[in-house]
Amino acid sequence: MPEGTLKISADTDFVVWLDGVEIGYGQYSDYPDAPTETQFSIAPLAAGTHVLAVQSYCKGESFLTACKGVPRVMLSYRAGDFQICSDAQWRYRQDRVYRSGEIEKLTGHLGFVFEADLQREDNWTSLDYDDRQWAYAAENGALPRPVPRPVPPQQSRPAVFARLIASGVLKTRPDRESLPTFGAQVRSDRLLLRRDHTNSDKISNAPGSSFLLYDLGREVSGFLTLECNAQGGEVIDLSHGEHLDGGQVRNVIGDYSFTDRIHCRKGHNVFRYFFRRIAARYLQLNLTAPASKIAVTIAHIGLIPREIELPEAADFRCDNPIWQ
């Protein structure tokens, strides 16, 4: 089969995989009455069975970064004379990992926080996954046809990994879980700095709850990447910010709450979140667990910058000194 072209449009955002391998992500600004589509080139495929899988995130509310629309995915793939399009033969389900429905806002501008339970992952993007229990998608021919995005897709840069600068023990309130937001719960924790700190990302058999504080070395904007090993059930409350306040990330500012939540599964955890950028210098992990002991080893944590490829700047010369 010759080289192919995949076109995709989603409200509000998407990640797309081919045979379990990530192809791309990142919907262009997309309005319900003027949808756009993103195009990817696909290397020639060998004869046989292949699987396209799409994760779509619909915010369901208007923010500065999104306009409320209809949950949808439109996709086409063409290679030579072969073509497929998303239709009523496609199957779907609500994502098992992410909490759906009502959840707190990060800010009124940027959207919602996320809660991800990695214990519920089931490898649904893989070639051998059985989706026969999923529902069939519904077609909606009334939706406007998407047009090509006016700028090319952004390109991922090398991840900026954070350096551990402090760790210690948490003293949590008995009513912690009753506080209204993840940010408020984290802010209620009392941090006891480990004086014999040795830059170890490993918290093994630590009593009670623990925290880790990381420094990216500069302010960075990008998508979260986290890799760790756990015994399963540990909860990571991840706060991000540009400043430290009393030795911890300033994660609550007025009504703004800069904390997301991740539930670890047993064994190796690889997590990347492509539906909202994080802008920060510091990342703080407050770790709690239903058991009395915590066993977590952080392999890495950082942000993946993503930018548009710009042409080399042209030389500019003119006689007007102000313009020059």
Side-chain angles (χ1 to χ4, degrees), residues 177-198:
E177 294 303 313
S178 68
L179 298 176
T181 67
F182 301 153
Q185 293 171 24
V186 165
R187 204 60 182 167
S188 73
D189 294 339
R190 184 183 175 198
L191 278 58
L192 303 178
L193 189 66
R194 185 175 289 115
R195 297 297 179 183
D196 60 345
H197 173 67
T198 57

Side-chain angles (χ1 to χ4, degrees), residues 201-215:
D201 298 64
K202 182 176 182 179
I203 297 181
S204 181
N205 296 324
S209 305
S210 303
F211 79 91
L212 300 167
L213 182 63
Y214 289 86
D215 184 358

Side-chain angles (χ1 to χ4, degrees), residues 74-303:
M74 289 183 275
L75 181 148
S76 68
Y77 170 77
R78 179 188 292 272
D81 296 330
F82 176 81
Q83 180 175 356
I84 59 171
C85 298
S86 53
D87 58 21
Q89 296 304 305
W90 282 51
R91 294 179 183 268
Y92 82 97
R93 72 167 184 199
Q94 188 164 291
D95 198 292
R96 287 168 48 92
V97 169
Y98 291 98
R99 174 177 161 188
S100 296
E102 187 175 349
I103 195 169
E104 67 194 73
K105 294 178 181 176
L106 182 88
T107 74
H109 311 89
L110 298 178
F112 300 100
V113 303
F114 69 78
E115 181 175 11
D117 187 349
L118 306 187
Q119 299 172 108
R120 295 177 59 81
E121 288 182 337
D122 63 354
N123 203 28
W124 64 274
T125 64
S126 65
L127 186 63
D128 58 354
Y129 183 82
D130 184 356
D131 66 355
R132 286 177 295 180
Q133 299 302 313
W134 293 20
Y136 283 104
E139 289 189 86
N140 188 340
L143 295 174
R145 186 176 183 83
V147 298
R149 56 188 294 163
V151 296
Q154 297 172 323
Q155 302 299 313
S156 295
R157 305 302 188 196
V160 179
F161 295 116
R163 178 177 62 90
L164 185 68
I165 58 172
S167 64
V169 176
L170 293 180
K171 295 295 184 181
T172 58
R173 291 172 36 165
D175 62 345
R176 184 182 193 268
E177 294 303 313
S178 68
L179 298 176
T181 67
F182 301 153
Q185 293 171 24
V186 165
R187 204 60 182 167
S188 73
D189 294 339
R190 184 183 175 198
L191 278 58
L192 303 178
L193 189 66
R194 185 175 289 115
R195 297 297 179 183
D196 60 345
H197 173 67
T198 57
N199 286 337
S200 172
D201 298 64
K202 182 176 182 179
I203 297 181
S204 181
N205 296 324
S209 305
S210 303
F211 79 91
L212 300 167
L213 182 63
Y214 289 86
D215 184 358
L216 289 159
R218 57 184 173 87
E219 291 191 10
V220 180
S221 174
F223 297 98
L224 175 67
T225 175
L226 168 66
E227 189 171 340
C228 69
N229 289 291
Q231 68 176 2
E234 293 94 340
V235 176
I236 298 177
D237 287 324
L238 172 63
S239 303
H240 65 276
E242 290 94 2
H243 310 286
L244 296 180
D245 181 11
Q248 59 182 306
V249 169
R250 191 180 177 207
N251 71 316
V252 176
I253 304 174
D255 293 332
Y256 298 168
S257 178
F258 300 95
T259 300
D260 301 290
R261 177 165 289 177
I262 302 167
H263 301 258
C264 296
R265 67 177 177 182
K266 184 177 181 179
H268 194 59
N269 293 258
V270 177
F271 180 71
R272 296 195 292 174
Y273 189 71
F274 292 126
F275 295 134
R276 194 193 72 234
R277 277 181 173 81
I278 286 177
R281 171 164 179 169
Y282 300 101
L283 304 173
Q284 179 180 320
L285 280 60
N286 286 31
L287 292 90
T288 57
S292 59
K293 303 291 186 181
I294 294 178
V296 174
T297 302
I298 305 296
H300 73 244
I301 184 169
L303 300 179

